[in-house]
Amino acid sequence: MSTKNEIAQKIVALLKTLPKDRIKHYASFKDVQLERFQNKDLVAGISEKDLKLQYASLRDLVNDKYKNYYKLDDKLLVPKGNPNYYTRIMAEIRGEKKTSFLDAMKIVTFGK
Amino acid sequence: MLGRNVARYASGGHRNVRAISTSQILAFGARNSAILNRFKNEEIEAPSKLAQESSLPVIEQDLKTKPRHPSKKIPFLSDHKIENDPNYQMSGWKQSIGQWVIKTFSIDMDKSRAGPVAGSIYFGECKRQGLYYPNEPLSDTASFFYETLNLPKSFSQQYQIALLHYWILSVRMRAMPFKYGKNYQQKLIDRMFKDMELRMSQELKISSNRIIENYLKDYHTQLIGAVLSYDEGLMTDDITLASALWRNVFNGNPNVDMRHVEALLGYVRSQLYVLNKMSDREFGFGKFKFVPPDQVVQPLTKAQEADLKEKAKAEFAQHTLPSQTSSLSLDE
């Protein structure tokens, strides 16, 4: 039981390091999962092996295992058809730059 | 609160967050090496195998609605002979006239090809992945989604699976020359919505057009939100993309199995990797097929990449008919 509690605590510690969502969604992965793994009854219903797997998976996700393994290059990340597509979206999501009305109309009309 | 978070990101502060989490992992790993050694394997497993490793008790999610199942089956693509029959051959004289028209009027075949490739082949690929009918065996991919990942069998779930595959393809379409990529995306999404409209009316037997239209508007809103979230995940990190998958494909299930989320993320990333290695010409001619979840995608070596490129060039060198002309690149 103590090992299970320890793993659950590590999962919680790992989840707490996740940043808050940049946009408010209908549910927050971090908050929902924090609540789940802090619920002693729910954790008690999970076997030790499965709890370790939960931790291992979460750790892989946090460590960008797949992003690093399946590396993409600028062909997809800076698409030649619309090179500013992702930078514009990310600037808007991060709150660095807001698309002006005129720019928005241009994007709606011409697609980029 | 949001502002502080945004500022932390803008200054690259999230890197520090990762460093903290990594040190905790290391400390935990050192103390529990016996526990974690089994899972330290850096080798990538097939998504379906990875997802099956876990036997977390399934807690049914209350979706507050009872899904309506199809009571009829309409043809997979259409009942038109050209689209429905894989062995269909146009008669010789019709082909000759077609080739003459294309040559004489210098028709842009890359533009014309968007319909049959994106609007039919790639649409079929997206639809096939999550398709199910009651009392019929599931395809390999559908069984990955519904049996391995335990997703509910419903029309909306099928849409979310198709939408995920649409997004994967649209990431590649954006990397094509703008006028062609945009056209491919438009043809694909138009066909998906047309198909949903038909299926809601003929398979799910929803008789009111107003209700169907409202559903389509809801699905369109979901499309915009999901594409934005997936794009954000693509440009940031695995956990952000995993959160987007959890919200959209796993319906925000609080008791989700992390192994399943990881498996789906690996599946998505591996498809993107394959698309990244594919040239515009191959993709534009509809050569891409989604890798089944029971297979592993291994990163290519430089020699393998060069070899594949040579083979593609040799194959397309044989395409000499006017209808096979293309300005799409074979190098990138």
Side-chain angles (χ1 to χ4, degrees):
Chain A
M1 191 63 193
S2 61
T3 319
K4 267 168 77 169
N5 278 342
E6 196 179 354
I7 301 169
Q9 278 171 18
K10 293 298 161 190
I11 293 176
V12 169
L14 191 53
L15 285 167
K16 278 183 180 165
T17 64
L18 299 183
K20 277 192 81 172
D21 288 342
R22 297 171 192 89
I23 309 170
K24 195 170 166 23
H25 299 289
Y26 77 91
S28 156
F29 179 78
K30 179 185 175 179
D31 297 344
V32 171
Q33 294 307 316
L34 265 176
E35 197 180 315
R36 174 193 184 189
F37 287 105
Q38 281 170 336
N39 183 335
K40 290 207 164 62
D41 295 338
L42 272 178
V43 171
I46 302 174
S47 73
E48 195 178 316
K49 178 194 160 234
D50 286 333
L51 208 55
K52 281 175 211 157
L53 284 172
Q54 302 299 301
Y55 178 70
S57 285
L58 202 59
R59 187 190 55 177
D60 285 346
L61 292 175
V62 170
N63 285 344
D64 286 343
K65 177 179 173 182
Y66 293 89
K67 186 181 179 182
N68 295 328
Y69 190 77
Y70 293 120
K71 274 200 169 68
L72 301 177
D73 39 57
D74 281 354
K75 182 164 128 185
L76 291 194
L77 301 179
V78 187
K80 64 172 178 267
N82 194 352
N84 295 326
Y85 179 82
Y86 294 109
T87 43
R88 187 175 56 79
I89 287 181
M90 288 314 293
E92 182 104 15
I93 290 174
R94 287 172 176 157
E96 291 160 1
K97 187 175 164 246
K98 196 150 172 59
T99 312
S100 69
F101 179 74
L102 275 177
D103 283 343
M105 290 313 288
K106 199 180 119 198
I107 293 163
V108 170
T109 315
F110 300 107
K112 65 173 174 176
Chain B
M1 198 62 173
L2 183 69
R4 197 166 35 154
N5 204 27
V6 166
R8 192 170 61 177
Y9 269 93
S11 63
H14 61 295
R15 290 278 163 227
N16 297 335
V17 174
R18 291 290 174 270
I20 292 165
S21 66
T22 311
S23 67
Q24 283 171 340
I25 293 160
L26 290 175
F28 179 63
R31 273 185 284 127
N32 299 278
S33 53
I35 303 170
L36 288 170
N37 268 350
R38 259 196 67 213
F39 310 115
K40 268 187 176 171
N41 195 353
E42 279 305 305
E43 279 296 302
I44 298 283
E45 285 179 277
S48 58
K49 191 169 173 242
L50 190 75
Q52 280 164 356
E53 281 178 0
S54 173
S55 54
L56 202 71
V58 179
I59 302 174
E60 207 68 46
Q61 189 186 9
D62 181 16
L63 292 170
K64 294 180 182 118
T65 175
K66 203 166 169 274
R68 187 193 283 239
H69 294 294
S71 54
K72 199 189 153 197
K73 191 176 173 180
I74 64 169
F76 179 66
L77 289 172
S78 68
D79 46 15
H80 194 281
K81 59 183 177 187
I82 295 181
E83 200 173 29
N84 211 22
D85 180 7
N87 301 317
Y88 176 79
Q89 270 290 330
M90 193 181 270
S91 61
W93 64 272
K94 278 186 189 168
Q95 282 193 39
S96 307
I97 292 175
Q99 301 292 1
W100 178 81
V101 169
I102 293 165
K103 199 175 174 185
T104 312
F105 295 99
S106 306
I107 291 173
D108 185 352
M109 282 311 291
D110 287 323
K111 216 170 168 190
S112 309
R113 208 172 283 121
V117 174
S120 181
I121 297 175
Y122 287 148
F123 155 71
E125 276 290 294
C126 291
K127 182 178 173 181
R128 184 177 291 118
Q129 309 305 322
L131 195 67
Y132 81 90
Y133 286 100
N135 310 320
E136 274 193 31
L138 295 169
S139 69
D140 285 350
T141 323
S143 94
F144 168 67
F145 283 108
Y146 298 117
E147 286 172 354
T148 313
L149 301 187
N150 285 321
L151 296 173
K153 280 185 188 160
S154 70
F155 187 77
S156 293
Q157 189 67 57
Q158 281 186 61
Y159 170 65
Q160 281 300 339
I161 295 167
L163 172 54
L164 174 66
H165 290 87
Y166 158 76
W167 173 77
I168 293 171
L169 292 176
S170 74
V171 170
R172 183 65 187 83
M173 287 170 183
R174 279 180 207 128
M176 295 169 84
F178 183 73
K179 67 172 177 176
Y180 300 128
K182 191 82 192 158
N183 199 21
Y184 273 66
Q185 275 178 293
Q186 194 66 57
K187 290 281 190 289
L188 175 55
I189 203 69
D190 282 354
R191 184 74 195 269
M192 276 173 67
F193 273 77
K194 184 76 203 161
D195 178 69
M196 283 202 295
E197 192 182 345
L198 282 175
R199 284 164 68 198
M200 276 195 270
S201 123
Q202 294 179 20
E203 289 187 351
L204 300 184
K205 305 282 182 200
I206 300 174
S207 52
S208 161
N209 281 340
R210 186 179 56 81
I211 293 174
I212 291 178
E213 203 163 301
N214 284 343
Y215 278 130
L216 289 176
K217 281 179 187 165
D218 277 354
Y219 287 136
H220 181 249
T221 313
Q222 288 178 28
L223 166 84
I224 294 168
V227 168
L228 178 74
S229 296
Y230 293 149
D231 282 342
E232 183 195 5
L234 176 69
M235 293 314 285
T236 49
D237 43 31
D238 273 354
I239 195 75
T240 311
L241 186 53
S243 307
L245 291 171
W246 172 76
R247 277 194 309 274
N248 291 292
V249 181
F250 291 94
N251 308 305
N253 184 359
N255 299 306
V256 72
D257 190 333
M258 294 294 168
R259 210 72 178 158
H260 292 178
V261 180
E262 187 192 355
L264 187 60
L265 181 99
Y267 173 78
V268 172
R269 287 263 183 213
S270 64
Q271 310 290 350
L272 289 170
Y273 180 82
V274 175
L275 284 166
N276 188 47
K277 296 294 171 198
M278 204 166 216
S279 69
D280 279 358
R281 182 86 65 97
E282 291 167 281
F283 182 72
F285 273 71
K287 301 278 181 198
F288 176 74
K289 292 265 177 294
F290 287 106
V291 181
D294 56 355
Q295 291 179 18
V296 190
V297 174
Q298 297 283 1
L300 296 174
T301 62
K302 291 270 176 217
Q304 286 170 326
E305 266 183 62
D307 187 38
L308 283 173
K309 220 165 249 184
E310 280 306 310
K311 279 184 182 157
K313 281 183 181 169
E315 187 192 338
F316 280 97
Q318 294 168 357
H319 290 185
T320 50
L321 290 170
S323 62
Q324 292 167 330
T325 51
S326 174
S327 62
L328 295 175
S329 168
L330 262 171
D331 292 314
E332 56 176 30

